[in-house]
Amino acid sequence: MSSSTDRDITLIDELRALPAEAAWVEFKGNNTDPEMIGVRCSALSNAARIEGRDSAYMLWGIEDDSHAVTGTDFNPDMKKRGNQELPFWLARSLQPSIAFSFRMVEHPQGRVVLLEVPAATGAPVAFNGVPYIRIGSATPKLTDYPQRYQQLIERLQPYRWEQGMARQYVSGDEVLSLLDYSQYFRLTKQPLPDNRTGIFDKLEADRLIVRDVGERWNITNLGAILFATRLADFEAGLARKAVRVVAYAGKNRAATVTHRHDGQRGYAVGFEGLVDYLNGLLPRNEHIGTALRVVHPLFPELAIRELAANALIHQDMTVTGAGPQIELFSDRIEISNPGAPLVKPERMVDLPPRSRNEALAALMRRMGMCEEQGSGLDKVLEQVELFQLPAPLFRAEENSTQVVLYGPRGFADMTPEERVRACYFHAVLKFLSGDKMKNATLCTRLGIASKNAAQATAVINKALDAGLIRVADLDHPRAGYVPHWA
């Protein structure tokens, strides 16, 4: 017997053990009327959300009063509505579309058909344009019960990839094997409990696992992507979210690949190793001080760490077949992640970050893997200015976000666009610290000698023409400059 069949039998028996039907559970004998099923799908989905359930169920082959298994000859794949198969017709009749599933289960006491209906998420689920609700054994229109309607609206939740299931119906031993739980306790600075119950309670509290039927567990996408011992032990879509690092010998992708590494572990348990691996690949400059030879990295390590963490946190997990990628060239680093950014690239520094993966972001911050919310990119720009590097490039494409961090290059070797971008970000940093950009501060930022201050003036004028900065006080032009949105 497969694990999925075993789980369905256990689920059926737990539902049968309920004292009576619930708003999210309905037992049917052999009533297979398609219209009835459509109305019930809407009602059960909406009721499940109100009741705080992730799914609702309808079962055929279960006696309503005694909950005994009586068996059924209902085959949803053979049932038709007009000339359409029932599942196809039902999928077209429900709005918004929900991922319901019919499963035919050979229970030891007879054949049962199990219909699993996900709880409503973004909007009430309607059948042929009408949303229904389950009250007792009745399924009236939702709009006839405004109090229930309001309850549902308040509890509707958008789809969260993090709370999807990476692995269902696993034993406690499998949880402890699939997830590096000891690293979870170390990184969250919690003492490791001395018993399994304590371990599972903590993992459950952070929604890394959730209870399934039959004393089994489900591992959430959040738990797997952060703490998987091996991402390859989960489904292929999750494994492809691993971080890929590629290093080239030259300045473009036609150059020889010197290093290629695909991450094997969850983001949290593998992050320090990723950062160490990157630091080991980064070029370094040697400087001779007064007495000692000092080696400095070509790129600021703190900036690399923060940008790598950002790529993990802000990616669109629903983009299939793609994950974060870090590419090292001889003169720059490109860090990309799936999904267009939720804020405009030029406003990433000053606006509060918006993440598609709030639970993942919060847990990574709690574990100290990135800066507190809203301060990470500030630190990146501060490091870039400290190292006097060209301004980073934040680039949004249709299905990806990319950050390019450039290696050292003097003012004379910067492009006009790079100079204007450095001017804008310098004005942003000054404004965020309660100050204003001036010609002298931009000279320092770009490494321009004071005798050549006219070069900084020319850059400021181009930034003004581009609409990226403005004079802080029109009555006092020498007061300095601020970003255009300030």
Side-chain angles (χ1 to χ4, degrees):
M1 185 182 297
S2 70
S3 60
S4 59
T5 301
D6 186 40
R7 178 185 183 275
D8 282 343
I9 291 172
T10 304
L11 172 61
I12 289 168
D13 287 341
E14 289 198 0
L15 296 175
R16 290 173 56 220
L18 294 171
E21 286 185 332
W24 50 280
V25 179
E26 184 163 357
F27 299 112
K28 288 292 176 189
N30 273 309
N31 184 349
T32 60
D33 175 62
E35 295 284 334
M36 179 276 297
I37 296 174
V39 170
R40 293 302 197 280
C41 279
S42 166
L44 287 166
S45 180
N46 294 329
R49 177 54 62 208
I50 291 175
E51 296 291 326
R53 297 278 175 172
D54 290 330
S55 297
Y57 304 93
M58 193 180 328
L59 301 93
W60 286 264
I62 306 291
E63 207 276 324
D64 191 6
D65 294 328
S66 67
H67 298 180
V69 177
T70 56
T72 180
D73 57 4
F74 173 38
N75 185 338
D77 294 332
M78 300 300 293
K79 183 76 174 180
K80 290 195 173 184
R81 177 65 164 80
N83 60 356
Q84 295 179 345
E85 294 179 353
L86 174 63
F88 178 72
W89 172 82
L90 195 57
R92 296 187 61 184
S93 302
L94 294 169
Q95 310 89 26
S97 177
I98 54 174
F100 64 84
S101 65
F102 284 100
R103 300 198 291 275
M104 291 173 279
V105 183
E106 296 301 330
H107 190 279
Q109 298 173 31
R111 189 167 174 273
V112 175
V113 172
L114 174 68
L115 171 59
E116 184 167 357
V117 183
T121 53
V125 173
F127 171 67
N128 287 336
V130 179
Y132 294 87
I133 191 65
R134 186 160 164 80
I135 301 175
S137 59
T139 51
K141 294 179 180 179
L142 179 61
T143 51
D144 291 342
Y145 289 81
Q147 187 174 0
R148 296 290 178 100
Y149 187 91
Q150 185 59 37
Q151 271 186 299
L152 177 58
I153 295 301
E154 290 173 357
R155 297 186 185 186
L156 283 174
Q157 303 169 358
Y159 171 73
R160 295 291 184 191
W161 178 89
E162 300 148 304
Q163 298 311 323
M165 298 305 156
R167 182 73 75 88
Q168 277 192 305
Y169 198 62
V170 296
S171 66
D173 286 343
E174 289 175 300
V175 169
L176 299 182
S177 172
L178 290 166
L179 300 184
D180 193 338
Y181 66 94
S182 63
Q183 287 289 78
Y184 161 77
F185 285 98
R186 182 183 72 82
L187 292 168
T188 56
K189 298 178 176 61
Q190 301 180 80
L192 179 65
D194 58 6
N195 59 77
R196 287 164 63 102
T197 300
I199 292 172
F200 292 139
D201 284 348
K202 292 291 187 180
L203 297 178
E204 186 180 20
D206 269 326
R207 297 285 291 178
L208 306 180
I209 59 174
V210 295
R211 293 181 186 276
D212 199 357
V213 296
E215 299 183 356
R216 297 288 188 111
W217 296 91
N218 296 328
I219 298 175
T220 64
N221 286 333
L222 177 65
I225 200 65
L226 283 178
F227 296 103
T229 303
R230 275 183 8 112
L231 284 168
D233 291 336
F234 294 86
E235 52 118 23
L238 194 71
R240 280 194 283 270
K241 296 297 177 189
V243 184
R244 170 170 290 180
V245 179
V246 184
Y248 300 90
K251 295 183 178 181
N252 57 54
R253 292 177 182 84
T256 303
V257 173
T258 60
H259 297 82
R260 185 188 299 272
H261 176 72
D262 289 320
Q264 301 295 322
R265 311 183 75 196
Y267 292 166
V269 295
F271 190 70
E272 293 302 327
L274 170 67
V275 172
D276 289 344
Y277 181 74
L278 288 172
N279 286 338
L281 295 179
L282 294 179
R284 294 177 180 269
N285 282 340
E286 258 191 1
H287 300 278
I288 300 178
T290 54
L292 299 174
R293 189 178 298 272
V294 182
V295 177
H296 293 295
L298 204 60
F299 302 97
E301 294 181 10
L302 188 152
I304 298 296
R305 179 187 181 92
E306 188 64 31
L307 291 175
N310 266 14
L312 305 183
I313 289 171
H314 297 298
Q315 66 179 301
D316 185 347
M317 296 291 192
T318 64
V319 176
T320 58
Q325 181 162 286
I326 302 174
E327 295 176 288
L328 281 70
F329 301 89
S330 59
D331 63 341
R332 70 192 187 280
I333 297 176
E334 296 185 5
I335 300 176
S336 58
N337 60 263
L342 297 178
V343 297
K344 293 180 179 179
E346 68 270 18
R347 301 300 303 275
M348 286 181 178
V349 181
D350 66 287
L351 288 178
R354 292 175 57 200
S355 176
R356 297 176 176 90
N357 313 298
E358 293 295 347
L360 184 147
L363 198 46
M364 286 188 69
R365 291 189 184 103
R366 196 172 118 209
M367 293 184 291
M369 293 179 183
C370 51
E371 293 291 328
E372 287 302 314
Q373 187 163 349
S375 63
L377 292 184
D378 303 8
K379 299 289 192 299
V380 171
L381 291 183
E382 287 172 1
Q383 289 288 303
V384 164
E385 291 206 352
L386 181 65
F387 278 60
Q388 287 199 321
L389 304 178
L393 173 64
F394 299 95
R395 184 159 54 204
E397 299 181 0
E398 185 177 355
N399 286 312
S400 67
T401 302
Q402 188 176 69
V403 181
V404 184
L405 194 61
Y406 297 95
R409 203 158 63 244
F411 178 79
D413 296 320
M414 291 184 192
T415 67
E417 291 78 11
E418 288 173 339
R419 295 170 183 173
V420 169
R421 195 164 64 246
C423 174
Y424 169 69
F425 283 136
H426 180 61
V428 171
L429 279 184
K430 284 294 182 181
F431 179 77
L432 293 178
S433 63
D435 202 352
K436 298 177 182 65
M437 179 183 74
K438 295 182 180 178
N439 186 290
T441 68
L442 186 61
C443 282
T444 302
R445 160 65 183 102
L446 294 175
I448 298 172
S450 56
K451 65 180 180 180
N452 297 324
Q455 293 178 325
T457 302
V459 173
I460 289 172
N461 287 335
K462 287 184 178 180
L464 287 167
D465 291 342
L468 293 174
I469 62 173
R470 64 175 178 83
V471 176
D473 185 346
L474 290 175
D475 295 330
H476 302 88
R478 293 182 179 275
Y481 305 88
V482 294
H484 68 89
W485 40 262

